[in-house]
């Protein structure tokens, strides 16, 4: 039986851009699926198709037991959506924003007011509740947007990069709110560029690239696919890097990577803690002073690099585009133009 969110063979094109190329998803009730992918991979297009904002060219989608194509109005009543950008009315107060959403859901005024009070407290916005939203910081607007998406306690929630632009403290607060939602039975599809976020929140992870799901599994399962362990060494003096690299090459099972600015060397190995002790002894014999050394498993960054050929990018408006993201970013812009065109037709 399909889960609370189910998609089979979703295809969506915008002119020459094939934004989705047969996406398959199945999210069990009460779990979190982390949807990862570089810019332009198809994450947001997938969310828009599943939430009735876009109509796929082909394929099947079921959300909360409802056919997305045949029952779009019923689907909208059963879901919450927090998009990439905070959708709040800047001239209304935080309280008025939430109450307005409640009344749009045809809640009685008294019930909408009571629900607004609950959400303002839950999202730590009570002190700013009667200020216009235009006076809020970016993190406060993001929390207000998420609060508004939860007015009717939807059984299925979609969050498209919900913590982009938040400082670490606000990000942690949102993570706690998300955990509470899921523990209460909410099913969540979460897109994110922060691999730590997916590692922390998601029961299952799907990696999307070029409009297709190219890998699926738990965080541990995906890391196991990458294979092996890594020895990481931070040398005290930069001039010791070449000698340390020579030492690690003698123990490694692959190429040693070097980060000159942090004086960190990393090499894939097999042998666990016993091998680590041997590396430490050899570095000591060679007179190499170290600041740090450790044995670690692959990270989701390693998985990303292995699966897509490049590391996960952050959004271009945060840290700037890089070469690996150039083409996907261009495709994403083309897709956006297609979406706007479809909306106006």
């Amino acid at each position: 039986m399909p889960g609370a969110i189910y998609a089979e063979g979703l295809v969506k094109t915008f002119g020459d851009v094939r934004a989705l190329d047969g996406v398959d998803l199945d999210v069990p009730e009460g779990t979190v699926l982390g949807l990862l992918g570089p810019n332009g991979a198809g994450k947001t297009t997938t969310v828009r198709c599943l939430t009735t904002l876009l109509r796929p060219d082909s394929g099947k989608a079921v959300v909360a037991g409802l056919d997305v194509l045949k029952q779009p109005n019923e689907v909208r009543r059963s879901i919450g959506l927090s998009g990439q950008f905070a959708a709040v009315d800047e001239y209304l107060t935080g309280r008025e924003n939430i109450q307005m959403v409640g009344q749009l859901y045809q809640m009685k005024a008294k019930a909408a007011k009571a629900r607004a009070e609950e959400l303002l407290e839950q999202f730590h916005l009570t002190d700013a509740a009667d200020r216009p939203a235009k006076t809020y910081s970016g993190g406060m607007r993001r929390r207000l947007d998420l609060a508004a998406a939860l007015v009717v306690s939807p059984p299925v929630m979609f969050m498209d990069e919900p913590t982009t632009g938040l400082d670490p403290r606000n990000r942690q607060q949102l993570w706690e709110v998300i955990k509470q939602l899921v523990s209460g039975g909410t099913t969540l599809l979460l897109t994110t560029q922060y691999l730590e976020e997916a590692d922390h929140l998601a029961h299952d992870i799907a990696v999307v690239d070029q409009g297709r799901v190219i890998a699926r599994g738990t965080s541990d399962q995906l890391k196991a696919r990458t294979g092996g362990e890594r020895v990481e060494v931070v040398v005290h003096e930069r001039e010791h890097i070449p000698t340390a690299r020579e030492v690690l090459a003698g123990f490694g099972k692959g190429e040693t990577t070097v980060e000159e600015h942090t004086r960190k060397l990393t090499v894939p190995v097999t042998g666990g803690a016993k091998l680590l002790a041997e590396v430490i002894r050899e570095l000591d014999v060679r007179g190499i002073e170290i600041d740090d050394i450790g044995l670690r498993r692959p990270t989701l960054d390693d998985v990303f690099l292995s699966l897509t050929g490049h590391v996960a990018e952050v959004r271009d408006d945060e840290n700037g585009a890089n070469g690996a993201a150039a083409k996907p970013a261009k495709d994403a812009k083309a897709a956006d133009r297609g979406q706007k065109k479809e909306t106006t037709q």
Side-chain angles (χ1 to χ4, degrees):
M1 181 178 178
I5 303 172
Y6 177 78
E8 181 181 333
L10 288 184
V11 173
K12 183 64 182 176
T13 59
F14 301 101
D16 295 333
V17 178
R18 198 171 180 85
L20 300 183
D21 191 17
V23 168
D24 298 324
L25 296 172
D26 192 356
V27 189
E29 186 175 340
T31 66
V32 180
L33 175 69
L35 201 60
L36 303 184
N39 292 333
K43 303 186 302 297
T44 295
T45 304
T46 299
V47 169
R48 289 176 177 171
C49 286
L50 292 172
T51 56
T52 76
L53 296 177
L54 279 177
R55 186 177 182 88
D57 299 329
S58 61
K60 177 181 180 181
V62 177
V63 174
L66 301 164
D67 190 301
V68 172
L69 299 179
K70 297 178 181 178
Q71 302 167 282
N73 291 332
E74 291 84 350
V75 169
R76 292 176 196 133
R77 296 189 189 101
S78 302
I79 64 174
L81 170 62
S82 179
Q84 285 188 9
F85 306 101
V88 299
D89 189 314
E90 293 192 343
Y91 294 96
L92 296 180
T93 67
R95 190 189 311 277
E96 289 168 343
N97 265 284
I98 299 176
Q99 288 181 200
M100 176 186 68
V101 173
Q103 291 175 320
L104 288 172
Y105 273 105
Q106 300 181 346
M107 294 174 67
K108 294 188 180 299
K110 186 176 181 180
K113 183 177 180 180
R115 182 60 176 154
E117 291 294 336
E118 293 174 10
L119 290 167
L120 287 166
E121 183 176 353
Q122 182 179 5
F123 284 87
H124 308 286
L125 291 169
T126 303
D127 290 344
D130 296 311
R131 280 169 37 196
K134 65 181 179 180
T135 68
Y136 284 19
S137 67
M140 293 170 70
R141 291 187 189 200
R142 203 67 177 120
R143 282 182 279 153
L144 180 61
D145 179 66
L146 186 52
L150 296 172
V151 166
V152 294
S153 301
V156 178
M157 186 77 190
F158 294 86
M159 296 185 186
D160 195 5
E161 300 187 15
T163 63
T164 294
L166 295 189
D167 60 48
R169 180 172 174 271
N170 280 320
R171 188 173 298 152
Q172 289 283 349
Q173 287 179 345
L174 266 184
W175 286 1
E176 290 307 313
V177 170
I178 290 171
K179 287 180 181 177
Q180 291 172 16
L181 283 174
V182 177
S183 66
T186 300
T187 304
L188 172 63
L189 190 150
L190 168 78
T191 78
T192 181
Q193 298 266 9
Y194 299 113
L195 301 184
E196 179 192 6
E197 187 162 88
D199 218 350
H200 193 76
L201 295 173
H203 298 92
D204 222 9
I205 294 171
V207 181
V208 182
D209 199 21
Q210 297 182 356
R212 297 186 300 274
V213 176
I214 59 173
R216 174 76 185 262
T218 66
S219 176
D220 285 343
Q221 287 170 341
L222 292 178
K223 291 173 185 177
R225 284 184 57 169
T226 304
E229 300 167 313
R230 275 85 169 140
V231 167
E232 286 186 350
V233 179
V234 179
V235 299
H236 186 67
E237 300 290 345
R238 185 166 278 105
E239 55 264 30
H240 287 157
I241 289 177
T243 308
R245 186 171 192 167
E246 182 183 330
V247 170
L248 293 180
F251 293 95
K253 300 298 180 182
E255 183 180 354
T256 302
T257 59
V258 178
E259 297 176 15
E260 292 279 350
H261 63 292
T262 59
R263 309 183 309 282
K264 183 170 76 172
L265 300 92
T266 305
V267 65
V269 298
T270 57
K274 182 179 178 181
L275 179 134
L276 182 62
E278 294 175 4
V279 172
I280 293 172
R281 281 195 295 269
E282 185 62 22
L283 289 170
D284 186 51
V285 167
R286 302 286 286 270
I288 301 172
E289 185 179 354
I290 60 175
D291 289 342
D292 191 23
I293 187 167
L295 185 71
R296 69 168 177 85
R297 298 179 59 209
T299 65
L300 282 179
D301 256 321
D302 297 323
V303 172
F304 228 89
L305 180 60
S306 172
L307 292 172
T308 68
H310 50 79
V311 297
E313 300 98 0
V314 295
R315 289 176 55 79
D316 292 346
D317 56 1
E318 285 182 11
N319 293 319
N322 55 39
K327 186 178 184 302
K330 180 180 177 182
D331 289 351
K333 291 176 183 176
D336 283 342
R337 289 196 296 270
Q339 290 165 359
K340 290 175 183 176
K341 180 178 179 181
E342 179 169 310
T343 302
T344 57
Q345 288 177 345

